[in-house]
Structures are given as structure tokens and as C-alpha cells.
Amino acid sequence: MELTTEHGGGAEALPVTDGTGQAWIERYTRSVMQTFGTPQRVLVRGEGCHVWDADGNRYLDLLGGIATNSLGHAHPLLVAAVTTQLTTLGHVSNFFASAPQVAFAERLLEVAGAPEGSAVFFANSGTEANEAAFKMARRTGRPKVVSTHGAFHGRTMGALALTAKEAYRAPFEPLPGGVEFVPYGDVGALGRAVDGATAAVFLEPVQGENGVVPAPDGYLAAARRITAEHGALLVLDEVQTGIGRTGEWFAFQNPRHEGVVPDVVTVAKGLGGGVPVGAVVAFGPRNATLLGAGQHGSTFGGNPVASAAGLAVLHAVARDGLLDNATTVGRHLRAAVEALGHPLVEGVRGEGLLLGIALTQPVGAQVVQAALSRGFIVNAARPDTVRLAPPLVLTAAQADTFVTALPEILDTALKGATP
């Protein structure tokens, strides 16, 4: 593996050398902060739904960078858009606008179904988008925000304050205050928590990090009614679910949510197809002006290259019918896994190509390792749940290779968990 660049009329090698996966991991442990532990593999290239590691092994990527590589790896349109943009204008400060930024905002508002007067704030990640939404809630002048048990909204201080996982929160307390947690999916609890002091309710249409738990039918509609009654914002975190992941542009657009129109939607991950892109979509003129001039910012948010990437993703999803593909292949994959009848599989939760295989025993970590050894990348969102969030270009035939291998993977996981 060698990276080269043209400089002064000739090719100049960048300081990247070949090496085995183990050699790269040893270098990693000496140079990179250990916030994520030891890497499972060192990946060196990808194409479509497959990636290869430093030792030449191929894997079917059923995690997609955690719901991020929406077009798969090295998608020609995304590569062309980013490359072309870099040859013209790579970055400008936020004292200036660029054509890709404006066009990207317009298209994002269109697919979100946002009404006239809506607006977009661009960030670089889902966490940053949720930080901005938290600040919008503060701008209402009300002191309280309501989130849910099992929620994950990010790891920076504001986003972490909205996140319920104690292991993430405890080392960094005290966190920004005023956040109250209620059981996810419990309309009664939400109704009791929201009052005239509530600035906003933050909800995920599907709780991804909590094991792919979809909101019950009627829950988002009830949340909309409750927040509207008290003049509070309804903020939907679609960082994992947005941009076609569940078969709609956004999960809240699923008919089972009864036409809910939120006040704010946060989105990232699949929006850039692997290029760091995040956004806040504020619905309507009031919400679009909650953050005024000088009250928030981002050096790289709305960067021309990131905007070109986002435009390419939105175009490809529409052009190639990837909303329908997510629905069709997701249903196929779900039905095929459930049809196995394996004793370790309790069922499959989720929507589109965001699925959680619920296990009867807490052996998710063992399933991940057994799958990896057989050439499949998956993730244990919880000890009893294996998460699948593959590229939206996944085919039914590719999904079937995983389903065929799954019984042996599960059997190996059970053996590995036996004392």
C-alpha cells in the first residue's frame, strides 16, 4: 500500500508503507489514543459492500461504518464529486458561502419536506448536530429538556447530557443540567414529564445504540401532540436513521408515524457517505431563527467538499432507487434470518437496512468475532443484539451469503461462550 501525490511535476510518496495487519496494530497502539481499544482489523481498501484488510482478507461490510457508508465504498459518483470539488475550491471560511453549500441545503430541505422558511445548519458529525440542537433548546429560555432511557445522542458534553448510558456519563459529570429521562415509548411518562418549563423533547425514531429499538406506533405522533400543547420543541435525532436507512428519506416520514412534522431534525452519518457531514434541519421560520448571528458556528461545517459529497449522496440515493432497495433487501434479510429458526435468534427488530438480531443469550461479542472470522462485519449494539447497518446498495444475493453462514456463526458463538 502506497499513497502518492503529484508535486513539482513528479510523483512523491507519502509516508505510508506496507505491512501486515499485526504490524499496523502495533503501530496503532503506540501512536493513537486508546479510546476505542484494539482494532479488530486494519482495513486498506473497499469497493461496493466489500472491504479488504492489510493481510488481503475480504469482508462483506454489514455495518457500513455504523450506518455511514450509505453508498458503500469507493462509489464512483462520490469519488468524482469530491475529487472535482477539490480541484476547484477545497475550503473557505464561514465568512463566505459556496455554491455547493447552498445547493446542498436546498436539497436537504426538499427531501426533509421542510416548509417555507426552514433552514439548515451544517456541522461535521451527529454529535455536533445534537449540540447545536441543544443550544437551540436553550434559546427558548426554558430550563428543562426531556430525553429517554436508552438514548444515545453523542459524547461531547451537551450531547452526553442527553445520553442515558451511565458508563458514558459518569466519568464526566457534572454535565449540563436540566435534562430529565423518561422510558422510551411510554406516552404516559412523556406526558407527565413535559410541562410549561420544557424547552424540548429529544427522541430517536429508532434507538440504534440501544439495540435497534423502533418507536412504537403512535409514539412520535403523541410526542408531537404533547410538545405542541406545551410549546416545546420536538427534536428528532435521525443521525442513524436518516437518508434512506429505514426506507424513507427520514424515519419520521414512515406512514406509521401519522404525518409527524418535527421542529428540528439532526442528521449525519449516511448524509456524507463516509465524508464527515452533519446537519440540523430547523422546520419553519421560528425554529430557523433560534440560533442568531454569532450564536453558533463551525469552521468546517458546510465546507465545499463536504457539501459536494452530501449532494452526491442525495443524488445517488434518488437516482438509484436506494430507498426502495433498503426496504426490499431489509425485509428479505429480516425474513431470511427469522426463517432459520436458530435457537439463539429470538427475532429481528428494526426498519429498512437498520436491523437488530435479538439473541436469546448475551453472546453478541462472540457473534461479532465468529462473523469476522468468516468474512462478515457486524456489530453488537448490546450483549444480546447484533446490529446490521450495511450500505444501502446491498443486494439480496449478498445478504443471502450472510444468512447462509449465520447458523455456523451462531453455533461458534455459543461454543465460545461456554465456560
Side-chain angles (χ1 to χ4, degrees):
M1 178 178 59
E2 183 177 88
L3 299 180
T4 61
T5 182
E6 295 293 328
H7 179 70
E12 181 177 352
L14 297 179
V16 178
T17 58
D18 289 321
T20 65
Q22 184 58 41
W24 278 111
I25 288 174
E26 290 172 359
R27 290 172 62 177
Y28 177 98
T29 58
R30 293 195 299 266
S31 59
V32 181
M33 284 191 184
Q34 300 298 295
T35 51
F36 298 106
T38 302
Q40 297 177 14
R41 296 289 190 276
V42 175
L43 304 180
V44 297
R45 71 181 180 93
E47 181 180 341
C49 292
H50 290 95
V51 292
W52 285 259
D53 69 17
D55 299 314
N57 301 304
R58 190 181 80 158
Y59 305 87
L60 181 61
D61 184 3
L62 295 172
L63 185 58
I66 311 181
T68 297
N69 297 99
S70 45
L71 304 183
H73 301 273
H75 190 281
L77 182 62
L78 182 57
V79 171
V82 169
T83 303
T84 301
Q85 186 58 48
L86 273 170
T87 65
T88 56
L89 189 66
H91 178 72
V92 296
S93 75
N94 48 31
F95 295 116
F96 301 90
S98 71
Q101 177 194 46
V102 176
F104 185 27
E106 290 172 340
R107 181 62 175 142
L108 187 54
L109 290 171
E110 182 181 2
V111 300
E116 187 71 24
S118 302
V120 176
F121 172 81
F122 286 118
N124 309 287
S125 68
T127 294
E128 289 185 27
N130 285 327
E131 286 279 348
F134 198 171
K135 290 177 75 173
M136 292 171 71
R138 286 281 193 255
R139 287 290 295 154
T140 66
R142 296 183 176 191
K144 187 168 76 172
V145 171
V146 176
S147 185
T148 59
H149 296 302
F152 181 84
H153 297 291
R155 301 196 195 216
T156 53
M157 294 296 278
L160 188 57
L162 301 166
T163 295
K165 192 168 182 177
E166 187 63 21
Y168 293 164
R169 296 169 56 88
F172 303 102
E173 292 175 338
L175 297 169
V179 181
E180 179 179 336
F181 294 96
V182 297
Y184 184 70
D186 187 330
V187 173
L190 186 63
R192 291 187 293 273
V194 177
D195 56 26
T198 303
V201 172
F202 280 73
L203 296 174
E204 299 161 272
V206 180
Q207 288 191 326
E209 295 298 314
N210 194 34
V212 191
V213 180
D217 289 353
Y219 182 59
L220 295 189
R224 175 70 287 180
R225 183 181 67 253
I226 291 166
T227 51
E229 287 173 356
H230 295 280
L233 301 175
L234 176 60
V235 181
L236 297 183
D237 178 342
E238 295 242 20
V239 171
Q240 284 199 37
T241 55
I243 315 304
R245 174 59 48 189
T246 66
E248 308 283 349
W249 282 110
F250 291 92
F252 77 83
Q253 295 168 334
N254 189 304
R256 73 185 187 84
H257 296 308
E258 304 173 32
V260 163
V261 178
D263 295 296
V264 180
V265 171
T266 59
V267 61
K269 289 190 179 290
L271 181 60
V275 175
V277 181
V280 178
V281 182
F283 284 61
R286 169 183 173 262
N287 299 322
T289 56
L290 282 173
L291 290 179
Q295 293 179 342
H296 198 52
S298 169
T299 295
F300 294 105
N303 169 285
V305 176
S307 296
L311 276 169
V313 168
L314 295 177
H315 180 71
V317 169
R319 181 195 68 184
D320 299 338
L322 297 186
L323 301 181
D324 289 340
N325 192 66
T327 299
T328 302
V329 177
R331 286 175 179 166
H332 173 83
L333 181 54
R334 178 177 189 156
V337 171
E338 291 179 333
L340 290 175
H342 195 281
L344 189 53
V345 176
E346 181 177 331
V348 182
R349 297 187 296 266
E351 298 175 355
L353 284 173
L354 181 59
L355 300 173
I357 302 175
L359 306 176
T360 56
Q361 297 185 41
V363 294
Q366 289 87 346
V367 172
V368 169
Q369 290 306 310
L372 196 62
S373 70
R374 285 160 179 79
F376 301 96
I377 296 176
V378 298
N379 161 256
R382 290 193 325 213
D384 63 353
T385 305
V386 173
R387 175 171 48 181
L388 308 178
L392 304 183
V393 297
L394 184 76
T395 67
Q398 289 171 329
D400 285 343
T401 64
F402 171 69
V403 176
T404 299
L406 188 55
E408 184 180 356
I409 290 170
L410 296 173
D411 290 343
T412 300
L414 281 172
K415 292 175 184 176
T418 303

